């Protein structure tokens, strides 16, 4: 077949139409995936069991969460639960317990490791020596505090029997509901 006998759609444009179709179908695929991710989450029993399994593996015991308030995957990956305990199988006292934990990070921040965080609020965390650190740990509160012009990471508690309290400046990114926080490059 000579160049004159080729059909009109078989010229240079066919390469561009292939790429346009590919980009279109990938875009549709990604929109469907993100729509599914945004509809996942909640406070169902399977999500609660998944969170308990994660804590069990992390601390090497059997975890129980009394109340799972919310777990989300997109646009923010986060978890909010109350009254969690991790027990070793042979002990009755918990090795780690927390009254309230709320943590959320942007999906893309987790994916690309930007270090930004949406929410951090830990209250009443207690860990026996060896569970998290060599000494026991008690965190009365660890939270991001936004005071308008400035934001801080504040915490009070005890490491072993020594009380601690600290406050660290953090940077704010975004506005309104899309506000996120991160430590500056120079600390």
């Amino acid at each position: 077949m000579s160049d004159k006998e080729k059909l009109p759609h078989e010229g240079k444009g066919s390469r561009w139409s292939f790429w346009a179709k590919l980009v279109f179908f990938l875009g549709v695929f990604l929109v469907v995936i993100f729509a599914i991710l945004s509809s996942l989450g909640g406070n169902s029993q399977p999500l609660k069991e998944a969170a308990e399994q994660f804590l069990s593996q992390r601390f090497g015991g059997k975890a129980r969460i009394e109340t799972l308030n919310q777990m989300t995957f997109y646009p923010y990956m986060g978890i909010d639960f109350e009254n969690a305990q991790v027990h070793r199988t042979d002990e009755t006292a918990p090795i780690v317990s927390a009254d309230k934990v709320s943590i959320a990070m942007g999906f893309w921040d987790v994916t690309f490791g930007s270090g930004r965080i949406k929410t951090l609020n830990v209250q009443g965390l207690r860990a026996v020596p060896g569970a998290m650190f060599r000494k026991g740990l008690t965190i009365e509160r660890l939270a991001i505090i936004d005071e308008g012009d400035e934001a801080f990471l504040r915490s009070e508690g005890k490491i072993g029997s020594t009380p601690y309290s600290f406050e660290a400046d953090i940077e704010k990114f975004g506005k309104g509901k899309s506000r996120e926080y991160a430590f500056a490059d120079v600390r």
Side-chain angles (χ1 to χ4, degrees):
M1 191 189 266
S2 70
D3 287 340
K4 293 180 180 178
E5 295 174 356
K6 286 186 177 179
L7 296 173
H9 69 279
E10 293 184 41
K12 282 186 170 180
S14 65
R15 229 181 288 148
W16 290 108
S17 66
F18 167 76
W19 287 109
K21 288 177 187 176
L22 180 66
V23 167
F24 173 76
F25 286 114
L26 282 174
V28 169
F29 176 74
L30 289 174
V31 166
V32 169
I33 292 297
F34 292 132
I36 290 170
L37 281 174
S38 66
S39 67
L40 292 176
N43 58 0
S44 67
Q45 187 63 29
L47 291 174
K48 181 178 170 184
E49 290 171 0
E52 289 173 342
Q53 183 179 9
F54 173 79
L55 291 174
S56 296
Q57 290 175 350
R58 169 62 183 93
F59 295 109
K62 176 107 172 102
R64 185 183 62 78
I65 296 174
E66 186 174 311
T67 307
L68 176 65
N69 295 323
Q70 182 75 12
M71 183 183 275
T72 58
F73 297 97
Y74 187 83
Y76 296 101
M77 297 180 76
I79 188 163
D80 182 358
F81 60 86
E82 297 176 22
N83 300 325
Q85 295 183 350
V86 179
H87 297 269
R88 291 229 166 91
T89 55
D90 58 341
E91 297 178 18
T92 57
I95 57 171
V96 177
S97 64
D99 297 336
K100 181 165 180 50
V101 175
S102 180
I103 300 172
M105 298 175 77
F107 177 84
W108 296 111
D109 295 321
V110 173
T111 303
F112 296 117
S114 72
R116 293 183 181 180
I117 189 163
K118 174 79 173 158
T119 304
L120 175 63
N121 187 14
V122 177
Q123 296 175 6
L125 183 107
R126 294 163 297 284
V128 299
M132 294 178 81
F133 298 112
R134 197 169 35 101
K135 295 182 177 184
L137 174 68
T138 301
I139 297 176
E140 296 302 324
R141 184 169 187 210
L142 171 66
I144 293 175
I145 309 297
D146 191 338
E147 296 180 342
D149 294 340
E150 298 178 326
F152 306 96
L153 178 65
R154 288 186 183 151
S155 184
E156 306 90 33
K158 290 182 181 180
I159 297 176
S161 61
T162 307
Y164 78 86
S165 177
F166 75 84
E167 181 177 281
D169 293 335
I170 54 176
E171 292 183 356
K172 298 194 283 188
F173 300 92
K175 294 180 180 183
K177 289 185 177 183
S178 64
R179 173 136 316 153
E180 293 181 324
Y181 307 92
F183 285 107
D185 291 336
V186 179
R187 296 180 207 159

